[in-house]
Amino acid sequence: MAIEGALPMKEGNARFSQVEFVNRVFLGDALEVMRRIPGGSVDMIFADPPYNLMLQDPLYRPNQERFEGVSEEWDRFASFGEYDAFTESWLRECRRLLKEDGTIWAIGTYHNIFRVGKIMQDLGFWILNDVVWIKANPTPNFRGTRFNNAHETLIWAARDRESRYTFNYRTMKAYNDDLQMRSDWHIPVCQGKERVRIGGRKAHPTQKPEALLYRVITSCTKPGDIILDPFAGTGTTLAVAKRLGRRYIGIEKNEAYLRVCEERLRRTVPYPEDILPNRLEERPRRVPFGELIERGYILPGEFIYSPDRTYRATVMADATVTCGGLTGSIHRVSAQLLGKDANNGWHFWFVEREGTMVSIDELRQRAIRDGGEPPQQA
Amino acid sequence: MAIEGALPMKEGNARFSQVEFVNRVFLGDALEVMRRIPGGSVDMIFADPPYNLMLQDPLYRPNQERFEGVSEEWDRFASFGEYDAFTESWLRECRRLLKEDGTIWAIGTYHNIFRVGKIMQDLGFWILNDVVWIKANPTPNFRGTRFNNAHETLIWAARDRESRYTFNYRTMKAYNDDLQMRSDWHIPVCQGKERVRIGGRKAHPTQKPEALLYRVITSCTKPGDIILDPFAGTGTTLAVAKRLGRRYIGIEKNEAYLRVCEERLRRTVPYPEDILPNRLEERPRRVPFGELIERGYILPGEFIYSPDRTYRATVMADATVTCGGLTGSIHRVSAQLLGKDANNGWHFWFVEREGTMVSIDELRQRAIRDGGEPPQQA
DNA sequence: GTTGAGGGTGAATCCAAGG
DNA sequence: CCCTTGGATTCACCCTCAA
């Protein structure tokens, strides 16, 4: 088992430390290796488990050539029950490994995805989306017996219902020509130069396209995040993770696949940090109204006005404002003046500066631009 | 319960006869009504089950008092369990009602479809396809927290693995500009005139577009087939079934929906029988090679040739052909000559007629056109 | 260099009838 | 029931090679 780069297993039940398990590919069974990794240490998991295809007879193309599908032993299970038990075991371990706010992706087809999704729900994962990968160039239905099976399904779920997961909404929107990224992704299957071949034959029967992983990883992780792929195969997830400046953990049971995987990772060069696609998600630090007073942008005792100067309120030292008999936050008082349940005070109130009205929201923008330090005291 | 057109329930456990249950809409619980229908009497089922039973609205949660003090996990388990029990019960009854070769469709979203699909597999349904209905105009994700949920999933399954189900392959291919119909269907949501409204408000929250049902029904039923919709809602399935010359059975628990449904059916006019789309599936009578000899299109002792005249075989009186040392059917001999396991001899062999080469498949077409009678004997 | 023809290929639960 | 046999059945994309 002298696999270069693969870490030998620890004695007994000892678990790896982070420096040991990050940016590595392990040779071994997903379940057994996962058990050696401490809980709560992974930001995102991408899992492409066996589909349990249950193929019977060989399939021939219309020209009588034999279609080379998935004949591998690893896709064969004795029954639904056995597949379910396998699925529950690795999903349960995945859940342990995820950080509180971590998310998981699982991909499959109608052969297995319903069972996977059902078990994910039962284990407490909170499904955020199902995404359909629509193939531009699927394998046709050679016998004309069904609809052409032209898609696969991905399930994206958070560890818990309460997880405050990462979703790079603005990035994905920009990615999609400023329209919300939808749940249907049109991506070609993995072909051509990208397909890893050994001696002219495909190295792995189900290699996923890098474009798919690019979108997955970009959508829900940040640079530096730790991504686990328990069924690494030829390492598509890991290579894209590395390219995008994420850290990775791979597990692969098949030694031939693992070798492909490591060679591929050696050739993969990360993008420079400054072009990693996360800028759109860098939200400015929140500056509450009280901070404007602390930092001297507004002075206690000053007046703030409604847009048409109909209302005038006094700013108190504790960051409440008073107007007539009303006292409360800038939001609450403005809401009451307007007879509404809620209102955004930042856009309602103005102060006078050098003879003109200035929105307090504008002052807030200035405070953010000025940085964390309060302005010079007079 | 004076619902016009709705049939009163029978006393006890008596079951309806076909004339009683066909082309009707029943007011009542899906399970209870299905139990009154004899088994093996339905060709196709389209089911759009409720999926908002759990974890959504406090009204539908399990009784708080009963589960007082239990953890979130138990609460979740209880809810999923309840939904699963409900799902299994109606699916089991559907399976009883289906003919041996019948098929079923179920539609849902990630909230419920994985559970539905898993239970279908467990009950013995054999999934043929999952189809994704991709919405041209989905509701946006207002909060920007996930991908825009722009699709729903349909599962199409046969009653058994061995079912010889109906799939109108050629019809669907023509429907799709002579390309195989794929598993991704791009159809707008139900809007505008098609959307049933009562007093300006939509009558039903999840009315499906007729285009979706049109494609479903066209793809896997024949005119006259009996189609069941156990959760009929506003009756989209039934109306399209009627329009396409299929028979229908509807079940709807909500009296307001049922009224909409029946009014809609009254307004629905079936297409004339002669334009119903099933012609492409009418396969011509099979004419075996021997019949061409019996009927004098080819004479025993004649030669037949491969396309490039490389090979020449002799037609024997028993409809075998011989070429060199090979003897067998037109198919077997052509396969052996080509070094393949199998080959279609109809497209391989030619005869000479008036100085030109004529495909024996062409002779077969003539024989079919000439009708069942052998040509006049000389 | 460009274009076009031709061949290869992809997670596939892929037949029906008759003896 | 199983086994044999007839004969129906494919789309988009990528690569190579020739013109």
Side-chain angles (χ1 to χ4, degrees):
Chain A
M1 292 289 170
I3 301 304
E4 207 178 330
L7 212 69
M9 300 302 289
K10 293 238 169 176
E11 299 294 325
N13 290 320
R15 284 188 172 153
F16 297 112
S17 65
Q18 179 165 320
V19 288
E20 289 177 302
F21 65 71
V22 161
N23 292 341
R24 299 273 181 178
V25 189
F26 295 92
L27 175 67
D29 175 74
L31 205 58
E32 287 171 19
V33 175
M34 281 198 284
R35 289 202 176 115
R36 307 304 181 89
I37 300 175
S41 51
V42 169
D43 293 287
M44 192 271 271
I45 296 174
F46 185 87
D48 182 10
Y51 287 6
N52 189 24
L53 244 35
M54 297 193 284
L55 304 175
Q56 301 256 46
D57 302 315
L59 178 65
Y60 291 88
R61 297 171 183 274
N63 65 3
Q64 304 303 328
E65 279 175 42
R66 197 167 161 156
F67 175 72
E68 299 298 335
V70 181
S71 51
E72 274 71 6
E73 189 60 36
W74 49 253
D75 197 52
R76 275 201 275 276
F77 293 82
S79 63
F80 281 139
E82 199 175 285
Y83 186 78
D84 292 349
F86 161 75
T87 302
E88 184 180 327
S89 68
W90 67 259
L91 276 171
R92 188 183 293 281
E93 201 58 21
C94 281
R95 192 148 182 270
R96 185 182 67 79
L97 292 191
L98 277 181
K99 295 180 185 174
E100 271 186 11
D101 297 335
T103 62
I104 182 172
W105 292 77
I107 183 168
T109 59
Y110 63 85
H111 308 84
N112 71 322
I113 198 66
F114 304 120
R115 315 194 79 82
V116 170
K118 188 263 187 189
I119 292 169
M120 287 176 73
Q121 289 182 310
D122 287 350
L123 288 175
F125 286 108
W126 188 251
I127 298 180
L128 300 168
N129 279 111
D130 60 334
V131 167
V132 284
W133 165 30
I134 295 176
K135 304 177 184 183
N137 46 350
T139 307
N141 183 300
F142 298 123
R143 302 298 297 264
T145 55
R146 305 179 175 190
F147 299 103
N148 177 3
N149 189 15
H151 74 279
E152 297 193 20
T153 302
L154 300 99
I155 300 174
W156 180 43
R159 185 188 186 285
D160 301 284
R161 185 176 185 172
E162 298 76 23
S163 299
R164 289 171 317 185
Y165 55 91
T166 297
F167 178 57
N168 299 320
Y169 174 75
R170 298 166 71 89
T171 303
M172 296 316 284
K173 192 171 174 183
Y175 200 110
N176 192 37
D177 295 343
D178 283 334
L179 296 175
Q180 283 192 340
M181 183 64 82
R182 297 165 44 113
S183 57
D184 54 315
W185 297 359
H186 296 249
I187 295 174
V189 302
C190 182
Q191 275 188 336
K193 279 181 61 176
E194 188 186 322
R195 190 90 193 195
V196 181
R197 287 169 213 282
I198 298 177
R201 298 168 61 89
K202 56 187 176 190
H204 191 284
T206 69
Q207 185 183 340
K208 297 291 175 291
E210 294 200 2
L212 183 72
L213 272 298
Y214 194 103
R215 197 177 295 189
V216 164
I217 292 174
T218 305
S219 72
C220 66
T221 67
K222 296 188 278 280
D225 276 2
I226 296 178
I227 297 173
L228 165 69
D229 187 338
F231 309 101
T234 57
T236 308
T237 306
L238 314 178
V240 178
K242 181 175 179 184
R243 185 146 58 95
L244 289 172
R246 274 67 169 174
R247 291 177 290 173
Y248 58 84
I249 312 170
I251 306 172
E252 176 51 50
K253 180 157 66 175
N254 181 303
E255 202 174 316
Y257 298 160
L258 185 105
R259 264 193 271 268
V260 169
C261 189
E262 298 201 310
E263 173 56 25
R264 189 171 176 187
L265 281 165
R266 266 193 293 277
R267 286 198 316 267
T268 302
V269 179
Y271 290 146
E273 269 188 43
D274 59 325
I275 64 161
L276 292 182
N278 64 327
R279 288 299 173 78
L280 286 177
E281 308 302 331
E282 289 168 4
R283 296 295 178 82
R285 188 172 64 90
R286 192 175 83 92
V287 172
F289 185 64
E291 191 173 326
L292 293 189
I293 298 167
E294 288 171 0
R295 291 172 58 186
Y297 290 89
I298 295 177
L299 299 177
E302 257 200 281
F303 293 130
I304 57 178
Y305 304 89
S306 63
D308 56 1
R309 281 181 164 261
T310 303
Y311 299 108
R312 190 184 76 178
T314 306
V315 175
M316 310 300 283
D318 63 358
T320 60
V321 299
T322 62
C323 179
L326 304 172
T327 294
S329 72
I330 50 172
H331 308 296
R332 191 109 310 278
V333 170
S334 69
Q336 288 181 284
L337 291 172
L338 294 171
K340 291 156 85 175
D341 285 343
N343 191 57
N344 187 337
W346 287 109
H347 300 138
F348 183 80
W349 297 110
F350 290 74
V351 290
E352 201 174 319
R353 291 286 180 275
E354 299 170 5
T356 64
M357 300 291 274
V358 175
S359 161
I360 60 171
D361 191 47
E362 168 59 23
L363 294 187
R364 178 169 64 153
Q365 303 301 336
R366 283 184 209 167
I368 291 167
R369 278 197 301 273
D370 292 342
E373 296 307 307
Q376 203 96 26
Q377 295 209 342
Chain B
M1 292 288 169
I3 301 303
E4 208 178 329
L7 212 69
M9 301 302 288
K10 293 235 168 174
E11 298 295 325
N13 290 323
R15 285 189 171 152
F16 297 113
S17 65
Q18 181 165 318
V19 289
E20 288 177 302
F21 67 71
V22 162
N23 293 340
R24 299 275 180 175
V25 189
F26 295 91
L27 176 67
D29 175 75
L31 205 57
E32 287 172 18
V33 175
M34 282 197 283
R35 290 201 176 115
R36 308 302 183 91
I37 300 176
S41 51
V42 169
D43 294 285
M44 193 272 271
I45 296 174
F46 185 88
D48 182 11
Y51 54 85
N52 54 354
L53 298 179
M54 18 149 231
L55 302 173
Q56 211 158 357
D57 194 311
L59 280 175
Y60 294 98
R61 283 186 168 222
N63 187 314
Q64 295 292 338
E65 290 153 17
R66 272 175 60 192
F67 295 105
E68 196 176 32
V70 300
S71 68
E72 273 299 309
E73 202 141 343
W74 171 245
D75 178 58
R76 180 163 47 228
F77 178 79
S79 304
F80 279 137
E82 223 166 85
Y83 186 77
D84 292 349
F86 160 75
T87 302
E88 183 181 327
S89 66
W90 69 258
L91 276 170
R92 188 183 293 280
E93 200 59 20
C94 281
R95 191 145 183 274
R96 184 181 68 79
L97 292 190
L98 276 181
K99 295 181 185 173
E100 272 186 11
D101 297 335
T103 62
I104 182 171
W105 292 77
I107 184 170
T109 61
Y110 65 83
H111 303 88
N112 71 320
I113 198 66
F114 304 120
R115 316 196 77 81
V116 170
K118 190 265 185 188
I119 292 168
M120 288 176 73
Q121 290 182 311
D122 287 348
L123 287 174
F125 286 108
W126 190 248
I127 298 181
L128 301 168
N129 279 111
D130 60 333
V131 168
V132 284
W133 165 31
I134 295 178
K135 304 177 184 182
N137 44 354
T139 308
N141 182 303
F142 295 117
R143 301 191 52 185
T145 54
R146 304 178 180 194
F147 299 101
N148 178 0
N149 190 17
H151 74 277
E152 297 192 20
T153 301
L154 299 99
I155 299 173
W156 181 43
R159 186 188 185 284
D160 300 285
R161 183 171 190 169
E162 297 76 25
S163 298
R164 290 174 314 189
Y165 54 90
T166 297
F167 178 57
N168 299 319
Y169 173 76
R170 299 169 72 88
T171 303
M172 296 316 283
K173 191 174 173 180
Y175 199 110
N176 191 39
D177 295 344
D178 284 332
L179 296 175
Q180 285 192 337
M181 183 65 81
R182 299 166 39 116
S183 57
D184 55 316
W185 296 0
H186 295 250
I187 295 174
V189 302
C190 182
Q191 278 184 333
K193 278 181 62 179
E194 187 186 323
R195 188 93 198 198
V196 181
R197 289 169 209 280
I198 298 177
R201 298 168 60 89
K202 54 189 178 190
H204 192 281
T206 64
Q207 186 183 340
K208 297 291 176 288
E210 294 201 2
L212 183 72
L213 273 298
Y214 194 101
R215 195 176 296 190
V216 164
I217 292 173
T218 305
S219 69
C220 67
T221 66
K222 297 189 276 282
D225 276 2
I226 297 179
I227 297 172
L228 165 67
D229 187 340
F231 309 101
T234 57
T236 307
T237 306
L238 315 177
V240 177
K242 181 175 179 183
R243 186 146 58 95
L244 289 172
R246 274 68 170 173
R247 292 177 289 173
Y248 58 84
I249 313 170
I251 305 172
E252 176 51 52
K253 175 157 71 175
N254 181 305
E255 202 173 316
Y257 296 159
L258 186 104
R259 262 193 273 266
V260 169
C261 188
E262 299 202 309
E263 172 57 25
R264 190 172 174 186
L265 281 166
R266 264 194 294 278
R267 287 197 317 266
T268 301
V269 180
Y271 290 145
E273 269 187 42
D274 58 325
I275 64 161
L276 292 183
N278 64 326
R279 289 297 172 82
L280 286 180
E281 309 302 331
E282 291 167 4
R283 297 295 177 84
R285 185 174 68 90
R286 191 175 84 90
V287 172
F289 185 63
E291 191 173 326
L292 293 188
I293 299 168
E294 287 172 3
R295 292 171 57 185
Y297 290 91
I298 294 177
L299 299 178
E302 256 201 284
F303 294 130
I304 56 178
Y305 304 89
S306 64
D308 55 2
R309 280 181 165 263
T310 303
Y311 300 108
R312 189 185 75 177
T314 308
V315 175
M316 310 300 281
D318 64 356
T320 59
V321 298
T322 62
C323 178
L326 302 172
T327 295
S329 70
I330 50 172
H331 309 295
R332 200 113 305 281
V333 170
S334 69
Q336 288 180 279
L337 290 172
L338 293 171
K340 293 169 152 187
D341 285 343
N343 191 57
N344 188 335
W346 287 111
H347 299 138
F348 183 81
W349 298 109
F350 291 74
V351 290
E352 202 175 319
R353 290 287 178 275
E354 301 170 4
T356 63
M357 302 290 275
V358 176
S359 162
I360 61 170
D361 193 47
E362 169 60 23
L363 294 186
R364 177 170 63 153
Q365 304 300 333
R366 285 185 209 164
I368 292 168
R369 278 198 301 274
D370 291 343
E373 296 308 309
Q376 204 94 25
Q377 295 207 341

